[in-house]
């Protein structure tokens, strides 16, 4: 069984818990860790988990809403930390250096599109256009069900959509409504960055990705990484439900504080 649960999503912190259970063995992967260790502990508790019960953490890129306590998690609880070489190098330029985690827990993702095996999970990272050193997003499978995680990218690309086209569940960035961003309070440079090709997805772009990736086996769509200033859960859900022809209430919107409930990918 493959199931997942957002621990919270947005510019204040992102984390997605993925769990596979096969032949009595459970593997737990945390994708991004944009919280303090105390806050992560608090958010894991409703799932009946503690940080030491995680098998690995995968950092998609070095932005603070994704790294958070990852290095502490490694050091204190012995959880291996996976990231691209570019992300590791970018993190190393920041106040928490690599030595904080311990070399034995550092794991490099070898290449874009090359799968890595984490217990009962196979994870395939892929590169995305985003304003970070070597940003990745991923798809993963327990051998039966497939889940795509896509929280930070500036525009849909053929390569990205190819990686997500047969997933049974998608956690998909719906960062902003283009009109709200244009009319909103951000300074001009920030509007350009967020709306640019290496920034974040507008709801309409998320809808384009979903339209390309939808198929009859798609069970769950979760809207994620919503901007609190430039989007609303209703607008994001409407954009995605419009593609699927379903009720907006069938789209789950990951809350910044509450995340989402457990969802079965297959
Ligand atoms: Zn980012
Ligand atoms: Zn982010």
């Amino acid at each position: 069984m493959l199931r997942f649960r957002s621990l919270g999503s947005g510019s204040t912190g992102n984390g997605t818990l993925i769990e596979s259970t096969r032949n009595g063995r459970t593997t737990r992967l945390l994708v991004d860790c944009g919280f303090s260790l105390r806050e992560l502990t608090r958010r894991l508790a409703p799932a009946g988990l503690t940080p030491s019960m995680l098998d690995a953490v995968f950092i998609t890129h070095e932005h603070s809403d994704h790294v958070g306590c990852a290095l502490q998690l490694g050091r204190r609880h012995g959880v291996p930390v996976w990231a691209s070489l570019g992300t590791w190098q970018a993190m190393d330029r920041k106040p928490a250096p690599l030595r904080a985690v311990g070399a034995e827990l550092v794991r490099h993702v070898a290449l874009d599109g090359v799968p890595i095996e984490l217990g009962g999970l196979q994870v395939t990272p892929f590169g995305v256009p985003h304003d970070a050193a070597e940003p990745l997003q991923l798809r993963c499978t327990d051998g039966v069900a497939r889940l795509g995680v896509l929280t930070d990218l500036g525009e849909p690309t053929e390569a990205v959509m190819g990686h997500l086209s047969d997933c049974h569940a998608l956690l998909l960035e719906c960062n902003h409504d283009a009109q709200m961003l244009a009319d909103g309070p951000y300074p001009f440079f920030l509007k350009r960055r967020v709306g640019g090709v290496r920034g974040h997805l507008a709801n309409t772009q998320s809808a384009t990705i979903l339209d390309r990736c939808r198929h009859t086996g798609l069970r769950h769509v979760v809207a994620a990484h919503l901007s609190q200033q430039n989007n609303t859960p209703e607008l994001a859900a409407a954009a995605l439900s419009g593609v699927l022809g379903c009720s907006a209430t069938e789209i789950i919107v990951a809350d910044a504080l509450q995340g989402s409930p457990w969802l079965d990918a297959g």
Side-chain angles (χ1 to χ4, degrees), residues 9-14 32 60-61 63-66 130 137 151-153 173 175 193 200 225:
S9 188
S11 58
T12 53
N14 293 273
D32 290 325
T60 58
H61 62 297
H63 291 164
S64 59
D65 56 321
H66 297 264
H130 189 54
Q137 298 287 307
T151 59
D152 291 61
L153 78 165
E173 169 169 52
N175 180 258
R193 191 228 135 200
H200 290 280
H225 215 307

Side-chain angles (χ1 to χ4, degrees), residues 127-248:
V128 292
H130 189 54
D131 57 354
E134 193 181 351
L136 299 170
Q137 298 287 307
L138 57 88
R139 55 176 276 156
C140 66
T141 179
D142 64 346
V144 180
R146 295 177 290 276
L147 163 68
V149 175
L150 192 64
T151 59
D152 291 61
L153 78 165
E155 63 175 354
T157 67
E158 287 300 320
V160 166
M161 293 187 284
H163 282 294
L164 299 176
S165 60
D166 61 354
C167 289
H168 300 100
L170 285 173
L171 184 119
L172 179 59
E173 169 169 52
C174 286
N175 180 258
H176 58 274
D177 172 79
Q179 196 62 51
M180 284 183 73
L181 177 67
D183 296 343
Y186 279 10
F188 181 67
F189 81 90
L190 195 51
K191 289 182 182 182
R192 264 184 56 172
R193 191 228 135 200
V194 169
V197 295
R198 283 162 54 85
H200 290 280
L201 291 180
N203 292 338
T204 49
Q205 294 173 301
S206 313
T208 298
I209 293 174
L210 183 58
D211 194 28
R212 280 288 304 277
C213 298
R214 70 192 166 102
H215 60 109
T216 52
L218 179 61
R219 297 183 62 182
H220 295 294
V221 178
V222 179
H225 215 307
L226 270 71
S227 165
Q228 289 181 331
Q229 286 84 16
N230 303 311
N231 209 356
T232 67
E234 292 75 20
L235 285 171
L240 299 186
S241 63
V243 170
L244 298 177
C246 66
S247 159

